[in-house]
Amino acid sequence: MSGERRIGLALGSGAARGFAHIGVLQVLQQEGIGVHCIAGTSIGAVIGVLFAAGVSPDDLAVTAAELQWKQLAGLIDPVLPTSGLIDGGKLRRFIQALLPVENFDQLQLPVAVTATDVQSGKPIIIRQGRLLDALQAAIAFPGIFNPVRFGDRWLIDGGLCHPVPTNIVRSLGADKVIGVCAIPQVEKPQETFLPPQQEERRGRLAEAFNALRIEQLFRDIWHSNGDNDQTKPPNLFRVAAQSIAIMENRINDLQLQIDPPELLLRPPLPGLTLLEFQRAGEAVDAGRREARAKLAELRALVAESGA
């Protein structure tokens, strides 16, 4: 139809919280709401590529619900810290087992994957070549995963430049954009006096990489540290995740003001931290609830597009 306008989906970053994207995709599919193109950042890139490769959202939801910390521990390949703590090869093979195609040109929809050049700071948009190479770069969380060599560049997580890539999906030809944001909102900064902290336990990182303590390392990665116990310092992984989340939140606010999607879905995920992947099922449920709550707006967007 000549007057039809294309609907694009911008799936943002958010680590474990980003599994909410799956719930949104389930509702879109159930309601027959077609998507013409996808841009994805970090976890949004992985889910967007799998969807565009023909993997059903229901199958993705089952995989997410089955994630447990012991299984996640098997995906971690710690290395001596140089440019990251985790190599990422095992996670790459996990994604490969889910992905039915190898290259961008085999996808059923146009997809763009975002990354960041760690040396220049420039955003990098990947639209061709091997999907696994692009996805490994897209999820290379700085400080935790090693940067990924991509041609003559070293790439890390795209969330540093495009937390919710609305402008990227528009570059694919989308006229109407549905943005899905799983980045936790933080309160506006205020000056706060912090009393001196007790001396942190020394040698924690060395202990974590000791073979006898490797199980504790896995628990530190996938579980929130100390729950409500404020007497203990947050572990390295939570510090990195929360620091990036705070920064992405600020960048995201600015970008959404400059280029807002026609509809923004922001599933509420209170209490779910960025690294609690074993709670992925809760994030999927939250995505479904948010999409259902905005169903009238979704249908109106489809009507406006003429699809």
Side-chain angles (χ1 to χ4, degrees), residues 2-304:
S2 60
E4 181 178 327
R5 307 185 74 183
R6 293 161 58 89
I7 295 178
L9 194 59
L11 301 179
S13 56
R17 299 166 62 99
F19 280 98
H21 299 323
I22 297 174
V24 171
L25 288 171
Q26 284 182 304
V27 173
L28 294 179
Q29 191 169 76
Q30 290 163 4
E31 295 295 323
I33 298 174
V35 174
H36 297 86
C37 51
I38 298 174
T41 293
S42 195
I43 184 68
V46 175
I47 293 171
V49 163
L50 288 169
F51 177 72
V55 181
S56 77
D58 289 345
D59 287 343
L60 290 174
V62 170
T63 299
E66 292 175 346
L67 290 176
Q68 299 295 326
W69 81 264
K70 288 186 178 180
Q71 179 187 3
L72 292 162
L75 301 178
I76 300 303
D77 37 9
V79 293
L80 287 175
T82 52
S83 54
L85 300 175
I86 298 171
D87 179 64
K90 290 183 178 180
L91 184 57
R92 178 188 174 104
R93 290 190 288 274
F94 176 76
I95 297 172
Q96 184 177 24
L98 299 174
L99 192 59
V101 299
E102 294 184 1
N103 300 310
F104 274 85
D105 59 12
Q106 295 173 294
L107 296 175
Q108 299 172 11
L109 299 171
V111 173
V113 169
T114 75
T116 303
D117 186 320
V118 71
Q119 293 173 309
S120 70
K122 293 181 179 179
I124 304 297
I125 311 304
I126 307 171
R127 293 192 55 192
Q128 60 184 4
R130 288 176 52 83
L131 290 165
L132 283 174
D133 293 340
L135 293 180
Q136 189 171 4
I139 60 174
F141 200 89
I144 295 182
F145 287 99
N146 281 333
V148 175
R149 185 69 180 265
F150 207 89
D152 59 352
R153 302 176 184 270
W154 289 98
L155 303 185
I156 56 175
D157 195 309
L160 298 174
C161 294
H162 293 291
V164 179
T166 54
N167 59 329
I168 305 305
V169 77
R170 291 192 199 281
S171 73
L172 296 179
D175 301 298
K176 301 284 186 178
V177 175
I178 301 169
V180 188
C181 179
I183 301 169
Q185 289 182 295
V186 295
E187 296 179 1
K188 298 301 180 183
Q190 297 179 347
E191 292 186 4
T192 305
F193 172 76
L194 297 177
Q197 298 294 316
Q198 294 181 349
E199 183 180 357
E200 296 184 7
R201 290 173 295 172
R202 289 175 290 182
R204 180 66 186 87
L205 182 60
E207 288 181 7
F209 280 93
N210 185 300
L212 297 177
R213 305 284 291 181
I214 201 70
E215 180 176 313
Q216 184 60 47
L217 170 63
F218 296 150
R219 289 182 182 273
D220 281 353
I221 294 174
W222 304 122
H223 290 264
S224 59
N225 173 92
D227 296 323
N228 294 321
D229 186 354
Q230 298 299 317
T231 65
K232 296 180 180 180
N235 62 57
L236 172 64
F237 300 97
R238 191 165 188 192
V239 168
Q242 291 298 101
S243 298
I244 297 298
I246 292 168
M247 179 178 62
E248 286 188 354
N249 188 278
R250 305 299 180 204
I251 296 171
N252 191 48
D253 285 348
L254 291 172
Q255 288 194 342
L256 289 178
Q257 289 177 26
I258 295 170
D259 189 6
E262 277 65 35
L263 177 60
L264 179 65
L265 304 180
R266 197 164 198 169
L269 293 159
L272 199 158
T273 66
L274 299 176
L275 298 179
E276 291 183 289
F277 288 89
Q278 78 284 357
R279 296 176 61 188
E282 297 176 41
V284 174
D285 290 341
R288 276 196 297 264
R289 290 194 300 271
E290 174 71 0
R292 287 288 173 194
K294 300 285 181 64
L295 192 54
E297 295 171 67
L298 283 167
R299 289 171 174 163
L301 192 68
V302 173
E304 291 174 12

